[in-house]
Amino acid sequence: ATVLRGSLEALCDGVVTDAAQVKEYHEQMLRETIGLQRLTNDLLDLSKLQNPDFPIEQTEVIVQDVLSDALHAADQIARKKHIAITREMSEAQAVVTGDYGRLRQMFMIVLDNAVKFSKENGAIEVTMTNDQVTVQDHGAGIAPELLPFIFDRFRKTPSEENRQGSGLGLAIAKQIAARHGIEIAVESTVGEGTAFTFALRR
């Protein structure tokens, strides 16, 4: 917000008049606005999910379907960094009761992070057994001192890849998991990668 206000004041006061600079200021303002919109939406999501009275859909959801849906979207993101996402899913359908859209959001948060912190031409493996989903990347990893706090609000790794994040994604994923009786856990080694595990309760 401070950057946005400063840019607007510079433009309104006529401090910046060169066409190229004006364009640069407009682009910066757009980036800041998108970031504020993302933060606002994430805060609203988290507030709703933390309220036990906020209803979520309660229908039978096939986990393979929602995971495949999330993977399809993640493939589009991964392609930009030439990252291959491999998947191995059990044939036996895993069914949970809950909200398809929220579950997709939960998987997407973790998949998006896996892509974000993976190197160019890297690989991500997604495996699903009858009662567990694991997303394994081979990226930067998470420092041991940060690992216990990654599901806290506004906690994010101090890196260039995470500069534009709101710091709320994993807190939202944790709340979605909790509302569905899913236990989400993480293991990580710096320089080797990170694995998120979703233990399903059916």
Side-chain angles (χ1 to χ4, degrees):
T2 303
V3 174
L4 184 59
R5 178 176 175 175
S7 297
L8 282 168
E9 287 176 345
L11 290 169
C12 291
D13 294 343
V15 175
V16 178
T17 56
D18 177 73
Q21 270 195 305
V22 169
K23 183 175 185 294
E24 185 180 329
Y25 269 63
H26 282 149
E27 289 172 349
Q28 177 65 41
M29 288 159 57
L30 177 60
R31 287 193 295 270
E32 292 297 325
T33 303
I34 291 169
L36 285 171
Q37 183 181 35
R38 183 185 301 116
L39 176 61
T40 302
N41 290 340
D42 285 352
L43 282 168
L44 286 170
D45 264 356
L46 190 58
S47 177
K48 290 174 184 176
L49 289 163
Q50 287 178 326
N51 179 1
D53 295 327
F54 175 71
I56 62 172
E57 291 288 330
Q58 294 293 331
T59 59
E60 285 196 348
V61 177
I62 299 171
V63 179
Q64 281 94 334
D65 288 350
V66 68
L67 182 57
S68 293
D69 189 352
L71 282 165
H72 179 72
D75 280 334
Q76 314 307 312
I77 305 168
R79 191 172 294 121
K80 297 175 184 177
K81 292 179 69 175
H82 307 288
I83 294 169
I85 303 179
T86 61
R87 60 214 69 184
E88 184 178 339
M89 298 190 197
S90 62
E91 293 184 4
Q93 287 186 347
V95 180
V96 298
T97 301
D99 188 317
Y100 184 102
R102 289 295 183 183
L103 289 167
R104 183 184 184 279
Q105 181 184 15
M106 176 187 74
F107 286 131
M108 274 304 303
I109 288 168
V110 172
L111 287 166
D112 183 59
N113 276 355
V115 173
K116 186 190 301 181
F117 293 108
S118 291
K119 298 174 184 176
E120 293 272 346
N121 303 304
I124 296 167
E125 293 94 33
V126 177
T127 57
M128 179 179 174
T129 63
N130 289 337
D131 57 4
Q132 183 171 292
V133 175
T134 301
V135 177
Q136 171 75 62
D137 70 52
H138 303 279
I142 303 166
E145 62 271 19
L146 296 177
L147 206 54
F149 308 107
I150 63 165
F151 295 108
D152 292 354
R153 289 180 298 171
F154 301 115
R155 287 291 188 127
K156 57 180 184 176
T157 56
S159 64
E160 180 61 25
E161 296 95 335
N162 217 21
R163 184 174 57 87
Q164 293 184 340
S166 69
L168 294 170
L170 289 176
I172 292 170
K174 183 81 169 179
Q175 287 298 319
I176 295 171
R179 293 293 295 267
H180 290 82
I182 296 172
E183 185 177 344
I184 181 172
V186 60
E187 293 183 359
S188 187
T189 303
V190 173
E192 295 184 14
T194 302
F196 281 88
T197 301
F198 303 86
L200 310 176
R201 185 185 68 186
R202 296 188 284 144

